[in-house]
């Protein structure tokens, strides 16, 4: 039985704790009923501790949207891997295109990835080209992003790594990438990982697709795109749509 991984990135939403609790509760209710789907939601930092109350057992896992690489010290506004670990966070999104657009470099991303792995939290490394050209330059761009983002990560550490392929032009857009192209890109990412770490490691690294996924296109993207799961933005804060998405994926 193949398990799928669905990760919801709430980004800077919602504005109130009350609304956050409502969205969380509906994700929790449905994820407790799923058989083949692992669900992670990544709310803003400020809501994490509310959802990580250890007395409440749930199959819904909680992730963070970023982390800093240092352990502690004079780093105003930052959150350390240990703080997240102590809270019970299992996943961290790292290198999202919206953070890269704010100036996050691949050097910084690679430090964050290593810091998450060192402490035993799964990093979700986001990669993706800004635009497509007709000469295939976007493939080199993607390869460089992956290599640079992982340059501090040794083979023995990558078993917890997850890669999310998110072409920038498909994020927050009307349509997702077509599933056949998603398939090509997931194979390409496996090939790049295989060149760095070897065949078995590449095959066992989950590859997710992200960019305008909703309950209508999720099944085709997973089955025809042959990805291990999805990174979902807008649809993850639309409770009705997210519940429906999880239901249809779990039936696969
Ligand atoms: C994202 O930003 O990671 C994302 C996938 O967003 P959306 O689903 O809204 O396109």
């Amino acid at each position: 039985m193949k398990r799928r991984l669905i990760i919801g990135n709430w980004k800077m939403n919602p504005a109130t704790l009350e609304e956050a609790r409502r969205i969380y509760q509906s994700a929790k209710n449905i994820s407790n009923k799923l058989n083949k789907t692992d669900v992670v939601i990544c709310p803003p930092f400020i809501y994490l501790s509310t959802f990580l109350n250890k007395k409440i057992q749930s199959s819904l896992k909680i992730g963070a949207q970023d982390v800093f690489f240092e352990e502690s010290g004079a780093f105003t506004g930052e959150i350390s891997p240990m703080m997240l670990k102590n809270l019970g966070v299992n996943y961290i999104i790292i290198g999202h295109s919206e953070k890269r657009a704010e100036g996050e470099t691949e050097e910084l991303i690679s430090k964050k990835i290593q810091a998450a792995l060192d402490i035993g939290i799964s990093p979700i490394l986001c990669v993706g080209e800004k635009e497509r050209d007709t000469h295939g330059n976007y493939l080199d761009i993607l390869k460089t992003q992956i290599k640079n983002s992982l340059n501090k990560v040794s083979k023995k550490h990558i078993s917890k790594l997850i890669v999310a392929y998110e072409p920038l032009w498909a994020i927050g857009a009307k349509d997702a990438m077509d599933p056949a192209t998603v398939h090509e890109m997931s194979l390409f990412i496996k090939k790049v990982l295989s060149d760095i770490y070897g065949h078995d490691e590449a095959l066992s690294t989950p590859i997710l697709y992200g960019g305008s996924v909703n309950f209508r296109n999720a099944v085709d993207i997973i089955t025809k795109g042959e990805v291990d799961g999805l990174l979902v933005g807008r649809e993850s804060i639309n409770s009705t749509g997210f519940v429906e998405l999880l239901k249809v994926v779990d039936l696969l």
Side-chain angles (χ1 to χ4, degrees):
M1 184 177 76
K2 186 163 171 43
R3 295 193 70 79
R4 321 279 178 175
L5 177 60
I6 307 294
I7 301 185
N9 176 10
W10 290 9
K11 309 192 182 186
M12 201 171 69
N13 298 295
T16 65
L17 178 59
E18 194 188 2
E19 178 65 357
R21 279 190 209 274
R22 197 188 58 72
I23 304 170
Y24 167 79
Q25 197 57 47
S26 86
K28 186 177 138 196
N29 292 347
I30 180 69
S31 60
N32 285 337
K33 294 184 192 136
L34 304 175
N35 298 312
K36 298 184 288 183
T37 313
D38 297 314
V39 189
V40 181
I41 53 162
C42 302
F45 284 126
I46 195 164
Y47 301 135
L48 290 178
S49 58
T50 307
F51 304 141
L52 283 160
N53 180 342
K54 298 212 171 58
K55 283 183 226 135
I56 304 169
Q57 284 301 316
S58 166
S59 55
L60 180 63
K61 298 279 177 285
I62 304 292
Q65 296 177 18
D66 192 17
V67 69
F68 197 56
F69 62 88
E70 294 283 4
E71 279 174 27
S72 62
F75 303 104
T76 302
E78 302 292 357
I79 305 280
S80 77
M82 185 60 90
M83 290 172 184
L84 295 176
K85 174 94 175 174
N86 287 340
L87 214 53
V89 165
N90 306 104
Y91 298 84
I92 308 174
I93 296 173
I94 296 177
H96 192 279
S97 57
E98 287 154 12
K99 297 297 296 173
R100 292 177 192 252
E102 286 171 8
E104 187 175 56
T105 61
E106 277 156 13
E107 168 73 11
L108 188 52
I109 291 168
S110 72
K111 288 182 179 168
K112 292 179 178 185
I113 297 271
Q114 185 58 56
L117 289 169
D118 279 347
I119 209 147
I121 300 182
S122 279
I124 303 150
L125 167 63
C126 298
V127 292
E129 75 279 3
K130 268 204 190 98
E131 56 197 8
R132 291 240 142 176
D133 59 89
T134 47
H135 307 291
N137 291 336
Y138 60 90
L139 294 174
D140 286 335
I141 290 168
L142 195 58
K143 190 198 282 180
T144 307
Q145 268 182 8
I146 296 170
K147 287 194 164 161
N148 290 348
S149 305
L150 294 176
N151 89 17
K152 303 224 164 2
V153 181
S154 66
K155 187 167 175 163
K156 68 175 193 301
H157 277 120
I158 72 146
S159 63
K160 276 186 172 283
L161 176 73
I162 297 165
V163 177
Y165 170 60
E166 299 206 298
L168 268 64
W169 46 270
I171 294 180
K174 190 166 151 280
D175 296 312
M177 176 180 254
D178 70 281
T181 316
V182 171
H183 186 206
E184 272 173 33
M185 298 310 291
S186 75
L187 289 175
F188 179 75
I189 291 169
K190 294 255 179 218
K191 168 79 175 77
V192 174
L193 291 174
S194 169
D195 290 346
I196 311 174
Y197 295 111
H199 179 259
D200 293 352
E201 285 72 12
L203 282 189
S204 56
T205 303
I207 310 290
L208 314 183
Y209 166 80
S212 300
V213 174
N214 55 44
F215 74 88
R216 291 187 184 84
N217 59 21
V219 166
D220 265 7
I221 292 173
I222 290 184
T223 53
K224 299 186 187 150
E226 294 198 29
V227 283
D228 303 289
L230 304 166
L231 180 53
V232 185
R234 283 160 296 167
E235 192 81 318
S236 71
I237 48 166
N238 163 17
S239 291
T240 322
F242 196 54
V243 166
E244 197 51 37
L245 184 154
L246 294 174
K247 280 187 187 162
V248 291
V249 168
D250 201 55
L251 289 175
L252 288 175

